[in-house]
């Protein structure tokens, strides 16, 4: 889930298992959410997005779930692969131009 | 499109020296963002531009930091004088007018000794 403080939470998953990464967002007025993946030595890369009028969206091996009641966002990765190892950030857009990024969660895939 | 381009990719400098980081956004994008990323503070927004005009620079740490965007295809982030605590990875990102997604460059890893 989201970090509170200086330490990046880490999720360790066995290769082939499903991963669930959680995010608590802050602004109930946010109407657009994005998940980014950041691999070591690279910039964050777009994975999947969802609008506030949806509660689920699926991509290739990834699913994003949105629960507006509790301001919670999750990213599910099916059949996790070693290449999925990275830091994952959620970001929200509340109408102000810059996205607001969470602290990130490190996903470590055990082969 | 080549994506957002940043240079240099790595910069090592001594305390007190001037550092200039460069960014070329994706062609046609109206917004440009500068971020700093550290282990301690995560990803921090420093400043962003819309149509080459600075809109919000409240994230710029102090007067030693300045950013310019002289045209739609080029922006610089300057640190003068640099200090060891400025060591971080600096990202540039751009965004089109119609979408929400920000596209990030590969970053510049700055080390100030």
């Amino acid at each position: 889930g989201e970090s509170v403080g200086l330490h990046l939470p880490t999720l360790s998953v066995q290769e082939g298992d499903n991963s669930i990464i959680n995010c608590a967002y802050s602004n109930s007025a946010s109407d657009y959410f994005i998940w980014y993946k950041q691999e070591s030595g690279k910039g964050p890369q777009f994975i999947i997005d969802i609008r506030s009028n949806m509660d689920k969206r699926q991509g290739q091996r990834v699913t994003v779930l949105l629960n507006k009641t509790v301001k919670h966002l999750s990213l599910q990765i099916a059949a996790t692969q070693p290449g999925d190892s990275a830091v994952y950030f959620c970001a929200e857009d509340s109408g102000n131009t810059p996205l607001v990024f969470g602290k990130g969660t490190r996903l470590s895939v055990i082969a | 499109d080549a994506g957002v381009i940043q240079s240099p990719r790595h910069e090592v400098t001594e305390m007190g020296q001037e550092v200039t980081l460069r960014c070329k956004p994706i062609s046609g994008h109206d917004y440009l963002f500068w971020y700093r990323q550290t282990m301690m503070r995560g990803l921090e927004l420093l400043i962003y531009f819309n149509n080459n005009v600075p809109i919000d620079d409240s994230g710029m740490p102090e007067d030693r930091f300045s950013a310019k965007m002289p045209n739609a295809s080029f922006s610089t982030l300057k640190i003068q004088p640099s200090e060891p605590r400025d060591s971080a990875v600096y990202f540039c990102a751009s965004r089109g007018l119609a979408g929400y997604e920000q596209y990030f460059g590969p970053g510049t890893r700055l080390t100030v000794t």
Side-chain angles (χ1 to χ4, degrees):
Chain A
E2 284 293 322
S3 68
V4 178
L6 303 178
H7 300 289
L8 202 60
T10 298
L11 175 67
S12 295
V13 176
Q14 201 75 34
E15 181 179 358
D17 287 352
N18 297 333
S19 304
I20 300 176
I21 300 170
N22 297 304
C23 173
Y25 63 92
S26 57
N27 192 339
S28 57
S30 292
D31 57 9
Y32 184 73
F33 304 88
I34 303 178
W35 279 101
Y36 281 87
K37 173 186 180 183
Q38 185 177 20
E39 297 176 90
S40 180
K42 297 182 180 179
Q45 299 295 312
F46 172 90
I47 302 174
I48 190 169
D49 59 2
I50 188 169
R51 291 191 178 276
S52 60
N53 61 355
M54 303 171 68
D55 53 19
K56 180 179 181 179
R57 189 170 187 209
Q58 287 186 291
Q60 188 175 19
R61 283 202 306 119
V62 294
T63 301
V64 56
L65 299 178
L66 175 62
N67 185 332
K68 294 183 289 294
T69 302
V70 295
K71 293 190 287 186
H72 185 268
L73 196 65
S74 69
L75 176 71
Q76 300 178 2
I77 304 174
T80 311
Q81 302 169 0
D84 295 327
S85 294
V87 176
Y88 290 81
F89 295 92
C90 66
E92 60 183 298
D93 186 296
S94 60
N96 297 317
T97 298
L99 294 172
V100 177
F101 284 85
K103 295 294 185 186
T105 297
R106 185 179 304 280
L107 175 64
S108 178
V109 180
I110 305 165
Chain B
D1 198 315
V4 176
I5 298 172
Q6 291 186 248
S7 64
R9 292 295 312 277
H10 301 273
E11 177 81 34
V12 180
T13 191
E14 293 184 345
M15 182 174 66
Q17 296 298 306
E18 177 179 294
V19 175
T20 299
L21 311 181
R22 297 173 176 80
C23 175
K24 176 178 167 48
I26 292 173
S27 177
H29 279 188
D30 301 276
Y31 292 90
L32 184 140
F33 308 84
W34 280 103
Y35 289 86
R36 178 173 66 177
Q37 186 176 43
T38 62
M39 288 296 293
M40 294 290 286
R41 302 173 68 91
L43 197 62
E44 301 175 276
L45 177 66
L46 300 177
I47 185 171
Y48 78 95
F49 296 81
N50 179 20
N51 291 325
N52 314 337
V53 177
I55 303 301
D56 185 354
D57 65 354
S58 59
M60 296 286 261
E62 48 199 270
D63 291 345
R64 297 184 298 106
F65 285 68
S66 63
K68 294 182 180 179
M69 192 165 185
N71 58 62
S73 59
F74 183 65
S75 177
T76 60
L77 178 67
K78 185 175 293 186
I79 308 172
Q80 167 63 19
S82 58
E83 296 182 3
R85 60 192 169 124
D86 301 330
S87 296
V89 181
Y90 291 81
F91 288 104
C92 176
S94 69
R95 202 201 90 179
L97 184 62
Y100 295 89
E101 181 187 348
Q102 292 174 192
Y103 296 81
F104 284 79
T108 295
R109 181 174 295 278
L110 173 65
T111 303
V112 184
T113 61

